Amino acid sequence: MKRIIAFALCMLVFIISVSAQKKDSVSQLLRLSIENLMNIPIYSASKIAESSFEAPLSSTVITKEQIKRSGCTSIMEALRLMPGVIVREQTNGNYDIHLRGLDNIPPNSSLIFFTSSTTLVMIDNYPVYNYLHGGTFWETLPVDINDVEKIEVVRGPSAALYGPNAVSGVINILTRKPEKAGLYTVANARYGSYQSFIANASAGYNFNDKFSFIVSGNYQNRNRTQADYYDELTAKYVPLDSVAAVKYNPGGTANTHEKYPHPQLAMQKYAANGFINYDPSEKIKMAAAFGAQHSEVQKAFGADTYSAYLTTARSDTRYANLKGNLNDCIIQLSYLNGTQSPVIGGTIWKWDFNTFDALVEYNFSKIKNLTLTPGIIYRQAVYDDSKYVNTAIKQGFWSGRAESTTKAASLRADYRLFNQRLRLVSGGRADKFNYPGKTYYSYQLAATYKINERNLIRVVHSKANRAPLIIDLFSNLDLTGPLNATQTYLLEVRGNKNIKLLSSTLFEAGYRIQPTAKLKFDLELFTTKTRNFSYTIFESGTFNNSGPIGFQGLLDLNNITVYAKQWGGTLTANIVAGNWQLKPFITLQKTMLYDYSIYANSPQAPSLPSNNNNPALYNIYSGMGTKIKHQATPSCYGGAYINWKPGKLNVNLNPWFYSSQTQLHSSNLTYKDGKRGVENIKGKCMLNATVSYQILKNFTVTLSGRNCFNNESREFYKADAPAFMLFGGASFEL
């Protein structure tokens, strides 16, 4: 907290000092005009290109130049430059990312549910989403820093624009196109601490602004910042060979070397991409993208008491994306397939998958100042583990082929009146899934009023739902193992095709003011309500003192009673003065849980052994009427983008901070000792600093320090401790 206060004071002193400057020179920072620095165009807020000052939703844009100046080494790290985004490091280069939080709900759940399943990530407007349990495997993104033109973030439910899974918001990664006619080349490489090596290269050509192409490749290798692993049974960090849970798993002796083939490795990934653009006229534009990636990382996923919490994940994927703007019609087709194994060496954790998305929209502008855009959407997600498990004994999570399909229709309206000062933006969407059978509706209503050229107010009301998840619908797993010296147990895990989908509603008000050409503030106040969380529910259980199966239980994926309310606000400033640019941002929020039962694992008390003296604790409804503060989402977080560019030299500071949090794992209920199953994440302030110098017109050298305060407090449950890292590198652009 002291560092956060010190950081806030430094920001205040800086603002006062730059405001007092008498010079009125035009900044050449980032090779953009002041107007563009203040109001970078954004597309994702309403699906039309517009000034970020006039965007109807809470949204932020960061450009390739800002990312380059900051010295960020990955897309994930670059998201720390955005307000309203919570980014926690798990291992070197691997992050857990949330928009406004709502993570670790319900508390005391398995880590598989810690990952954000409510944020939709897109690349050039096509979704990148893991339909198994929701969320994004960030390491599997085929594009990297070199491919990025800009990143746009929309905070708040946006399913009416982008469909299910845009529950807490959207992160849209837009890729580059050659800007000038002729040859295009970009290359950069960096080497740093812990054998971290990052390299990107792109080459292409622009034929008279009508036809262009780019081929690119990227590579990352990063080692972990520590060598040991957390052992749940002893509550200590120990060498891998000493992790008791890995060696003595009651389900069978684990093959340590198979699960952890490269214990020192945090990330290794490589990918290749191709981008083709053909724009024969202003009203006809076509684009195609394709690529493939391979990745191996160590991160927190699917962890339980019988693991070392960090797991090795591998993925091989391929994609193709086609988009055409034909007069007023937009057509987009995307396809993604591959093989994923987020816990290698675990028999139930491997599958083949493919997803297909198709979108057709048409813009009607027949009426003055009114644009109507109807659309039809089709989505198919297929996950198949039958090649990797014994389906006859239900060894896999769903033991066969699982298919989720979506048929949807949407309508957006954008109406401007009172001499363009008042703008009404609305959207609605109806999604029909094969499972569950009912139709889900999402909507978004937004209004902006431009008081004058420097002041704008806005209000938003929206509702969004998450898509059905494979694990919720199709789970078909039998778990067995030794119960005691003579008996085994059998747990049957089954999906629920009638499960209710997680949904969230939002009300938001905002105010933007730009008192001068070089100063801008953006305030957003929001409240959300999110319900229909799902979890594994214990439906029934039977004990047998004499048979070979001593205990047999039935579990299914179902909705639980807990729901969350969140209130908060984000303040962002943008200041340009001479060769300086400063963008500080801060979010304050409060998250409350209602009707939460600590032991929410059964709809009613099951048959229990006689030595259990409190069966009421197993009732899912035992928490009805309760209200508690949610501890896993920080109540205060933010940072700043500070850049100084005197000529060929560029100095960038990127501080980032958050308040304390507490993550609770299901083993907290097993041990109840306040240590195991609990991660008390300390509030911290971090600083990244980068100095770059343009030696030649197209050649720049860079020196970066990451985590300059060397704050080693952990940011995620039983993950690696971050460390100070030093990077040196160079970039070339033609």
Side-chain angles (χ1 to χ4, degrees):
M1 185 57 68
K2 291 181 180 178
R3 287 178 173 173
I4 293 175
I5 295 172
F7 165 69
L9 290 174
C10 290
M11 294 300 98
L12 180 61
V13 171
F14 177 80
I15 292 171
I16 294 173
S17 65
V18 297
S19 299
Q21 289 188 16
K22 296 181 179 180
K23 291 185 178 181
D24 192 27
S25 61
V26 177
S27 172
Q28 298 301 315
L29 183 65
L30 308 185
R31 292 176 288 181
L32 292 172
S33 67
I34 290 177
E35 181 181 358
N36 285 336
L37 280 171
M38 289 294 169
N39 299 301
I40 299 169
I42 187 171
Y43 170 86
S44 301
S46 60
K47 279 197 168 184
I48 62 171
E50 59 188 334
S51 162
S52 56
F53 183 80
E54 298 183 354
L57 308 179
S58 294
S59 51
T60 306
V61 185
I62 184 169
T63 67
K64 62 184 179 184
E65 288 292 341
Q66 291 172 320
I67 295 173
K68 178 180 177 181
R69 304 295 185 194
S70 71
C72 289
T73 61
S74 71
I75 291 173
M76 291 178 279
E77 188 182 341
L79 293 174
R80 277 188 166 163
L81 305 176
M82 315 280 270
V85 185
I86 303 168
V87 183
R88 306 185 189 96
E89 187 175 58
Q90 295 185 353
T91 59
N92 181 13
N94 296 299
Y95 297 87
D96 175 63
I97 298 171
H98 294 260
L99 290 180
R100 292 179 175 168
L102 293 181
D103 48 326
N104 193 202
I105 299 178
N108 299 304
S109 62
S110 168
L111 278 181
I112 189 174
F113 296 101
F114 274 24
T115 56
S116 175
S117 64
T118 59
T119 299
L120 179 63
V121 178
M122 300 189 299
I123 301 175
D124 291 331
N125 305 306
Y126 77 85
V128 181
Y129 196 78
N130 165 36
Y131 290 93
L132 171 68
H133 65 88
T136 302
F137 290 156
W138 285 93
E139 71 276 7
T140 69
L141 296 186
V143 297
D144 205 352
I145 290 290
N146 209 42
D147 302 303
V148 174
E149 177 67 28
K150 58 183 177 179
I151 302 174
E152 301 181 344
V153 170
V154 177
R155 296 175 289 278
S158 304
L161 286 176
Y162 295 105
N165 308 319
V167 177
S168 60
V170 173
I171 299 173
N172 195 6
I173 302 165
L174 301 175
T175 58
R176 289 193 189 189
K177 294 171 59 177
E179 297 177 356
K180 299 178 181 179
L183 182 65
Y184 165 90
T185 56
V186 178
N188 54 71
R190 273 173 282 188
Y191 184 79
S193 309
Y194 300 96
Q195 297 186 25
S196 300
F197 178 64
I198 300 102
N200 287 258
S202 302
Y205 203 89
N206 185 339
F207 297 88
N208 299 319
D209 294 328
K210 289 189 175 182
F211 178 80
S212 65
F213 72 89
I214 293 177
V215 291
S216 73
N218 58 78
Y219 174 82
Q220 289 194 47
N221 185 92
R222 302 170 185 256
N223 277 3
R224 295 176 58 206
T225 55
Q226 66 181 63
D228 49 6
Y229 291 80
Y230 182 73
D231 180 20
E232 183 78 354
L233 299 185
T234 61
K236 296 179 180 178
Y237 287 87
V238 299
L240 181 61
D241 291 340
S242 300
V243 177
V246 172
K247 296 178 66 176
Y248 305 114
N249 188 328
T253 302
N255 187 329
T256 303
H257 295 290
E258 182 182 357
K259 280 194 169 187
Y260 302 94
H262 306 105
Q264 80 289 349
L265 185 69
M267 170 186 288
Q268 186 178 86
K269 59 172 291 189
Y270 51 85
N273 300 274
F275 307 95
I276 301 173
N277 293 277
Y278 179 54
D279 303 338
S281 68
E282 283 294 322
K283 292 190 175 182
I284 300 178
K285 298 182 178 182
M286 291 175 280
F290 49 88
Q293 69 82 34
H294 168 81
S295 61
E296 179 180 318
V297 301
Q298 284 197 74
K299 62 179 182 178
F301 179 88
D304 54 33
T305 306
Y306 304 111
S307 75
Y309 286 96
L310 291 182
T311 60
T312 304
R314 284 180 181 159
S315 176
D316 290 276
T317 60
R318 298 155 293 277
Y319 77 96
N321 180 43
L322 304 174
K323 184 178 181 181
N325 291 56
L326 309 175
N327 295 315
D328 294 315
C329 183
I330 299 173
I331 302 173
Q332 184 159 7
L333 306 173
S334 62
Y335 181 76
L336 174 68
N337 80 331
T339 301
Q340 292 177 332
S341 180
V343 183
I344 69 169
T347 55
I348 65 175
W349 290 108
K350 192 172 184 179
W351 57 79
D352 297 326
F353 78 101
N354 65 79
T355 61
F356 173 73
D357 289 82
L359 164 72
V360 179
E361 292 183 335
Y362 190 84
N363 292 323
F364 289 98
S365 301
K366 302 291 185 181
I367 304 175
K368 184 179 180 180
N369 296 330
L370 174 65
T371 301
L372 295 174
T373 308
I376 56 174
I377 304 98
Y378 176 78
R379 177 174 297 161
Q380 180 190 54
V382 177
Y383 282 67
D384 192 342
D385 63 357
S386 58
K387 288 169 55 177
Y388 309 104
V389 301
N390 187 337
T391 59
I393 61 172
K394 298 181 177 61
Q395 188 184 39
F397 248 125
W398 54 96
S399 299
R401 185 180 187 272
E403 178 179 335
S404 177
T405 60
T406 308
K407 300 174 183 177
S410 65
L411 178 64
R412 298 195 313 275
D414 194 327
Y415 186 46
R416 302 169 189 253
L417 57 165
F418 299 133
N419 197 28
Q420 304 282 327
R421 288 193 171 186
L422 178 63
R423 181 185 180 192
L424 304 176
V425 181
S426 63
R429 174 167 166 145
D431 288 273
K432 174 68 174 175
F433 308 101
N434 60 338
Y435 304 107
K438 65 178 293 187
T439 301
Y440 278 78
Y441 299 92
S442 56
Y443 59 83
Q444 195 162 59
L445 306 170
T448 67
Y449 184 73
K450 201 170 184 180
I451 302 172
N452 52 44
E453 290 302 314
R454 298 190 181 277
N455 293 269
L456 180 141
I457 57 175
R458 59 185 186 83
V459 293
V460 182
H461 179 50
S462 61
K463 178 183 178 181
N465 60 271
R466 187 177 65 189
L469 305 178
I470 298 297
I471 199 169
D472 284 349
L473 299 178
F474 300 103
S475 288
N476 190 25
L477 169 67
D478 285 356
L479 292 171
T480 186
L483 181 66
N484 52 47
T486 60
Q487 293 181 308
T488 61
Y489 67 83
L490 173 62
L491 293 176
E492 301 172 293
V493 184
R494 301 293 180 259
N496 180 359
K497 294 181 180 179
N498 295 313
I499 199 167
K500 295 179 181 179
L501 301 182
L502 181 143
S503 64
S504 183
T505 55
L506 163 94
F507 180 79
E508 183 177 83
Y511 176 55
R512 296 189 183 113
I513 179 173
Q514 190 170 344
T516 71
K518 301 179 181 180
L519 180 63
K520 175 185 172 183
F521 295 95
D522 192 343
L523 174 66
E524 58 196 56
L525 302 174
F526 59 89
T527 178
T528 62
K529 182 177 181 179
T530 307
R531 58 173 64 249
N532 294 332
F533 293 93
S534 58
Y535 195 57
T536 306
I537 304 300
F538 191 97
E539 291 290 349
S540 63
T542 303
F543 286 87
N544 186 340
N545 293 326
S546 59
I549 299 178
F551 176 77
Q552 183 170 352
L554 174 63
L555 302 90
D556 70 0
L557 275 294
N558 218 324
N559 301 108
I560 53 179
T561 57
V562 65
Y563 64 95
K565 287 185 178 181
Q566 190 176 72
W567 301 266
T570 298
L571 177 62
T572 306
N574 193 357
I575 305 164
V576 175
N579 294 319
W580 289 86
Q581 183 185 19
L582 170 66
K583 295 182 68 175
F585 49 88
I586 186 172
T587 297
L588 300 174
Q589 62 188 31
K590 181 180 181 180
T591 308
M592 300 294 294
L593 300 183
Y594 297 81
D595 297 347
Y596 166 60
S597 172
I598 296 177
Y599 291 86
N601 62 355
S602 175
Q604 55 187 345
S607 299
L608 297 168
S610 57
N611 61 359
N612 187 289
N613 56 13
N614 199 352
L617 288 176
Y618 286 79
N619 192 330
I620 191 175
Y621 302 108
S622 62
M624 297 298 290
T626 60
K627 179 174 71 171
I628 63 170
K629 183 179 179 181
H630 187 45
Q631 302 290 338
T633 294
S635 58
C636 176
Y637 57 97
Y641 174 91
I642 306 169
N643 203 88
W644 179 51
K645 191 180 188 307
K648 296 182 178 181
L649 176 68
N650 193 91
V651 179
N652 187 279
L653 300 178
N654 171 215
W656 201 85
F657 64 87
Y658 57 66
S659 59
S660 60
Q661 309 129 62
T662 299
Q663 294 178 336
L664 299 176
H665 183 261
S666 56
S667 57
N668 173 50
L669 304 180
T670 302
Y671 296 101
K672 302 178 185 178
D673 57 11
K675 297 180 180 179
R676 289 174 286 187
V678 179
E679 186 69 67
N680 293 311
I681 300 173
K682 299 178 181 179
K684 66 190 301 185
C685 183
M686 296 155 282
L687 176 68
N688 295 338
T690 298
V691 178
S692 57
Y693 187 78
Q694 188 178 14
I695 297 177
L696 302 173
K697 180 180 179 181
N698 301 313
F699 187 76
T700 303
V701 293
T702 301
L703 181 66
S704 298
R706 328 306 289 165
N707 189 16
C708 293
F709 295 152
N710 195 27
N711 191 325
E712 297 182 347
S713 62
R714 300 181 196 281
E715 300 176 14
F716 196 82
Y717 186 89
K718 310 311 178 191
D720 285 354
F724 168 72
M725 299 179 68
L726 190 65
F727 283 88
S731 63
F732 173 83
E733 184 166 353
L734 178 63

